[in-house]
Amino acid sequence: MRISIAKPYLWYSSNIEKIIFRTCISALFILIVERIFIIFTYEGHLAGIDNGFDYQIIRELAGFSMYPNPEDYPFAANPYTPIYFIICKWVASVLHITANDTISVYRVSRGVSLVADIGTVIILFSLIKKMAKCDKQRAFILTTFFWTILCYLGYTFNRSDCMFLFFYSCTLFFLITDFPKNSNAKTLLLALLTMLTIFSKQNGISLLVLIPAWFILTKELKKMAWFLIFACIFLFLAYYYFQFVYTQQTFSKNILSVLKNRIDLRWFYVYIFKLLADSPLILPIVLALVVGIKSIAKSSKSILSKIGFLFMIQFAMSLGFAVKWGSSLGYFNECYFIAFILLGLSITKHSGAETNKQAILSISKYVYPALLIFFVHVSLQLYLYFLNNHEKAKDSFNQQMVVSHYIKKQIGNNDHYVLDLTDPDWDFFKNLLYKESIAPTFDMIDCCMLPDKIFDYTEMLNSFKSGKTQFLIERKGEKQESIWNTDLSHYKVDTTIFNYTIYKFHNQ
């Protein structure tokens, strides 16, 4: 019995590096295949109310502004900067996809997200190899861990986070490598990439701190000054274009509204701290913090300590962003990106001596089963959440299409609207009825914009009294008596289609 156990264990111990490497190859392959299949799924929601991102793309394809006046019909606010939406619209236009090809728009946005994520992972692999001087095998293992975390969180599946993270990674690549050699070209490129990052998602403002901090650490104050000058010019030009040319001065009203989200410590505990504390996601961050602090304490001039400084600055800023209502673990994607570079540097530094190498291999023997469980968990999560119920999800989408067709026919060319009270943050109605939907960004109105009086929604609330909001969509057998302290008793059953009951306004 002892011998039958000893032989496999001896083989396992002596081949642990190969086992981990081959496991990572399998995990990466499985997760990429699952991500490809997710593009073609009929699930309306992947993570972070991503149907709202498709809404903006669809409206843009239809010739409407993605930044309308949030205080006027259809009362839609877009708190995200525009790069992701514009790229998705370009791709859809090239493929001759129109605003009415709803599911095709979802496929375009998810496809763009996958390409951006793969680009981010390639850049991380290059940085770990180039900066950490890791061999290909270790760089591949660390990159696979990062990819697995992205797939576990899911916030880059169909949101502007993917484009933000891609441009963020590009910026760091050119910042911490010696390419390009020309200093003016480098600062100009960094400023341009910073603008693209910020105009992909506002969290990119962290680069306005990280890049000057890096130049201070490397004692390149002249480069820092030129970077800040170029960045200010690019940001001003981009803002001017979107505020006064691309929109009717409604751009700032949309993207700055997100900054008014209230600070909510309970939200931070439940949706940030607790989720990190309960999962293995905390490990790379904690390890990177320890490595960073230790490297800074030993020497402030090493590349390890400089990357450690960047990580701690980014981590502090991500924590600051995360204390507001509506934040998510997706706010820490960039922390994980820097963390794996830092860990790669640390592994390279400590694996030179034979004793350290043996210690790393010894630790790996005990850690590997947990890593394998995590890979299996993430793979199963993607399959069971998004791929397992394909036919059921497709039937649900087709049913919503039938309901939407009925409402479109009833409204016709009249200036009337419909409010979705089923699952507005999860289903397809806002995008199937992109012209007719009122309050399509339901989550933002319900959580913050209306109760915090960020915008004036008096006219929207009056539409439930005047009948301008002509229809309500609810689950079969359910009837909401009021919404936002506004009576809905004027709405009577019009018809029931599948599991949806449509209520129509009747003036009493």
Side-chain angles (χ1 to χ4, degrees):
M1 179 69 179
R2 183 182 66 81
I3 296 173
S4 63
I5 294 174
K7 284 185 177 180
Y9 181 74
L10 182 62
W11 178 86
Y12 168 76
S13 299
S14 58
N15 292 279
I16 187 62
E17 274 194 300
K18 290 180 181 178
I19 292 170
I20 293 175
F21 179 63
R22 289 170 183 173
T23 301
C24 287
I25 291 175
S26 301
L28 188 67
F29 174 76
I30 291 169
L31 292 175
I32 287 177
V33 169
E34 287 183 321
R35 283 288 303 269
I36 292 170
F37 277 104
I38 284 172
I39 293 172
F40 302 97
T41 186
Y42 282 84
E43 292 290 340
H45 177 267
L46 301 178
I49 313 177
D50 47 292
N51 63 2
F53 290 81
D54 291 289
Y55 174 78
Q56 308 298 346
I57 300 165
I58 288 170
R59 292 278 295 188
E60 187 79 1
L61 284 169
F64 298 101
S65 173
M66 75 170 84
Y67 297 105
N69 183 353
E71 296 178 322
D72 197 3
Y73 291 94
F75 302 98
N78 180 8
Y80 297 95
T81 40
I83 299 293
Y84 176 70
F85 308 109
I86 291 172
I87 291 174
C88 289
K89 181 203 170 182
W90 286 347
V91 174
S93 298
V94 168
L95 297 174
H96 304 290
I97 293 170
T98 67
N100 294 316
D101 299 328
T102 307
I103 198 65
S104 296
V105 174
Y106 277 73
R107 289 168 180 166
V108 165
S109 59
R110 292 170 181 179
V112 167
S113 298
L114 176 57
V115 171
D117 277 355
I118 290 174
T120 300
V121 167
I122 291 171
I123 291 168
L124 178 62
F125 177 79
S126 301
L127 273 173
I128 294 173
K129 261 185 61 185
K130 189 177 181 69
M131 295 303 300
K133 294 181 171 53
C134 275
D135 57 60
K136 290 182 180 180
Q137 186 167 302
R138 287 177 181 168
F140 183 84
I141 290 169
L142 290 171
T143 303
T144 302
F145 290 158
F146 175 73
W147 172 258
T148 306
I149 290 172
L150 284 187
C151 291
Y152 176 75
L153 294 176
Y155 291 105
T156 58
F157 283 10
N158 195 25
R159 291 168 51 93
S160 59
D161 300 62
C162 67
M163 202 60 63
F164 154 73
L165 194 59
F166 173 71
F167 286 124
Y168 180 93
S169 64
C170 289
T171 308
L172 287 191
F173 179 86
F174 290 111
L175 176 67
I176 63 181
T177 63
D178 58 359
F179 181 80
K181 298 288 186 181
N182 185 290
S183 60
N184 288 332
K186 187 183 186 80
T187 52
L188 190 66
L189 182 60
L190 288 172
L192 178 61
L193 287 170
T194 298
M195 182 274 292
L196 291 172
T197 306
I198 294 173
F199 275 77
S200 294
K201 195 179 179 187
Q202 291 92 314
N203 292 20
I205 60 173
S206 61
L207 290 174
L208 295 175
V209 178
L210 291 177
I211 295 174
W214 179 266
F215 284 138
I216 290 172
L217 290 171
T218 56
K219 297 180 180 180
E220 297 175 291
L221 300 183
K222 187 176 179 181
K223 284 185 182 179
M224 181 185 75
W226 278 114
F227 163 75
L228 291 173
I229 291 169
F230 289 143
C232 288
I233 292 171
F234 284 135
L235 289 170
F236 172 77
L237 291 174
Y239 174 79
Y240 183 89
Y241 172 75
F242 286 108
Q243 177 71 1
F244 298 105
V245 180
Y246 199 82
T247 69
Q248 300 296 317
Q249 301 182 34
T250 53
F251 177 65
S252 60
K253 200 170 186 179
N254 280 268
I255 64 161
L256 296 180
S257 64
V258 73
L259 302 179
K260 298 180 182 179
N261 276 18
R262 58 182 175 270
I263 292 174
D264 192 330
L265 294 180
R266 185 181 182 278
W267 178 279
F268 174 79
Y269 171 75
V270 173
Y271 295 102
I272 303 296
F273 180 82
K274 187 175 186 298
L275 293 181
L276 277 175
D278 284 351
S279 78
L281 296 180
I282 194 68
L283 292 176
I285 289 178
V286 170
L287 289 173
L289 277 172
V290 172
V291 169
I293 292 170
K294 181 182 177 182
S295 62
I296 293 167
K298 284 190 171 183
S299 170
S300 61
K301 295 181 180 180
S302 68
I303 184 66
L304 189 62
S305 64
K306 290 170 185 173
I307 301 295
F309 266 118
L310 289 190
F311 174 77
M312 287 190 286
I313 293 169
Q314 180 59 68
F315 181 66
M317 296 192 73
S318 295
L319 281 177
F321 296 146
V323 296
K324 67 183 181 66
W325 194 100
S327 61
S328 70
L329 290 181
Y331 282 45
F332 292 87
N333 284 337
E334 51 270 45
C335 289
Y336 288 112
F337 185 89
I338 301 177
F340 282 107
I341 300 172
L342 192 59
L343 294 176
L345 283 163
S346 181
I347 290 170
T348 301
K349 180 181 178 182
H350 293 98
S351 62
E354 188 62 29
T355 53
N356 289 337
K357 186 177 181 180
Q358 290 303 318
I360 292 171
L361 291 175
S362 180
I363 293 170
S364 301
K365 290 186 294 186
Y366 298 100
V367 172
Y368 172 73
L371 297 177
L372 178 62
I373 290 170
F374 185 60
F375 286 145
V376 172
H377 167 49
V378 176
S379 302
L380 288 175
Q381 176 177 277
L382 296 192
Y383 175 74
L384 294 174
Y385 281 17
F386 307 126
L387 303 174
N388 188 43
N389 295 315
H390 180 78
E391 291 304 320
K392 183 179 178 182
K394 186 176 181 180
D395 288 343
S396 178
F397 172 76
N398 289 331
Q399 289 175 12
Q400 291 177 44
M401 281 191 69
V402 173
V403 173
S404 301
H405 179 73
Y406 174 82
I407 290 173
K408 283 182 181 180
K409 189 175 180 181
Q410 292 295 307
I411 292 178
N413 294 322
N414 297 319
D415 190 20
H416 289 151
Y417 292 86
V418 57
L419 178 66
D420 174 21
L421 291 175
T422 55
D423 290 309
D425 299 333
W426 295 66
D427 59 30
F428 293 94
F429 281 124
K430 73 172 68 170
N431 293 320
L432 290 167
L433 295 163
Y434 66 90
K435 290 181 184 177
E436 297 83 7
S437 289
I438 196 169
T441 49
F442 186 93
D443 61 306
M444 290 186 289
I445 294 173
D446 190 55
C447 80
C448 309
M449 304 300 183
L450 184 60
D452 293 351
K453 299 180 180 178
I454 293 174
F455 296 123
D456 181 5
Y457 287 109
T458 304
E459 194 171 350
M460 182 187 74
L461 298 177
N462 286 338
S463 74
F464 302 121
K465 301 174 184 177
S466 66
K468 188 160 186 177
T469 298
Q470 188 177 6
F471 293 100
L472 305 176
I473 305 173
E474 299 210 36
R475 294 288 180 193
K476 184 179 179 180
E478 297 178 6
K479 176 65 168 70
Q480 197 161 319
E481 298 301 325
S482 66
I483 186 170
W484 301 315
N485 297 319
T486 303
D487 181 45
L488 297 177
S489 61
H490 289 292
Y491 291 88
K492 306 299 179 184
V493 174
D494 179 67
T495 188
T496 297
I497 304 174
F498 301 113
N499 292 317
Y500 302 98
T501 298
I502 300 169
Y503 294 86
K504 187 175 182 179
F505 181 86
H506 289 273
N507 195 335
Q508 298 175 345

